Amino acid sequence: MTDTFDICCTSVINGTKYVFRIPLTRALWDDAKEQWRTEFLDTCRLRCAAQIYRETGVELTEQQTAGIVAVPDGTERSAELVAQLVTVQLHGGPLDGQSVAVDPEDPEPGIGILGPGCAYPGGRSWYEPDTEGRWTWQHDIPWGQM
């Protein structure tokens, strides 16, 4: 048994699989409490989302980042299927022209995005596909109504 192993974070965007590995000592993982492990995996997801942004220019939402599969290599879940995200361009509103990742299988299409220009500090700008599939701005949502 080796002294280190990788936490493997996986996401798929536009058919391209992104895998981000973070090395960790086995002793640290084995001795850690469950809460620490959970928080560490959340940190790994954030680092993976940041790497995806650097490589693609696509910023994942909090929900999409939370959906990144982050598991120790060699575990049963390390081969788990991940969400197949695609990028779309936003039209209108404060994020006009930006590209974001969306899940085409989501039964309730639409995405709330935190960004500059939202009418409500801390709120989200809401975009949905129209009948032609063009993602257009609908309105801004205050934080308290999310």
Side-chain angles (χ1 to χ4, degrees):
M1 184 181 288
T2 62
D3 293 344
T4 63
F5 68 101
D6 290 339
I7 299 294
C8 184
C9 299
T10 308
S11 187
V12 176
I13 301 174
N14 294 336
T16 302
K17 187 175 186 177
Y18 293 89
V19 179
F20 183 66
R21 296 180 183 279
I22 301 171
L24 186 66
T25 64
R26 188 162 301 284
L28 180 61
W29 183 260
D30 290 345
D31 293 341
K33 293 183 179 179
E34 189 63 32
Q35 180 179 351
W36 183 90
R37 288 181 181 188
T38 300
E39 290 172 0
F40 185 79
L41 293 177
D42 287 343
T43 300
C44 293
R45 289 181 185 92
L46 290 171
R47 290 180 65 189
C48 181
Q51 183 66 30
I52 289 170
Y53 179 73
R54 282 190 295 275
E55 291 181 19
T56 68
V58 174
E59 189 167 355
L60 301 181
T61 66
E62 294 168 3
Q63 183 179 8
Q64 292 166 337
T65 300
I68 292 172
V69 175
V71 295
D73 265 350
T75 64
E76 287 181 26
R77 292 191 62 214
S78 64
E80 185 174 310
L81 292 175
V82 297
Q84 304 287 319
L85 303 176
V86 297
T87 56
V88 297
Q89 185 173 12
L90 302 178
H91 298 276
L95 303 174
D96 186 46
Q98 291 187 20
S99 292
V100 298
V102 298
D103 181 353
E105 301 299 319
D106 191 342
E108 295 183 31
I111 189 167
I113 305 169
L114 176 65
C118 179
Y120 306 101
R124 304 290 189 269
S125 295
W126 187 260
Y127 288 81
E128 291 181 3
D130 62 17
T131 55
E132 287 82 40
R134 178 177 146 131
W135 284 72
T136 58
W137 178 72
Q138 304 298 309
H139 51 82
D140 289 338
I141 305 169
W143 173 251
Q145 294 181 10
M146 303 216 35

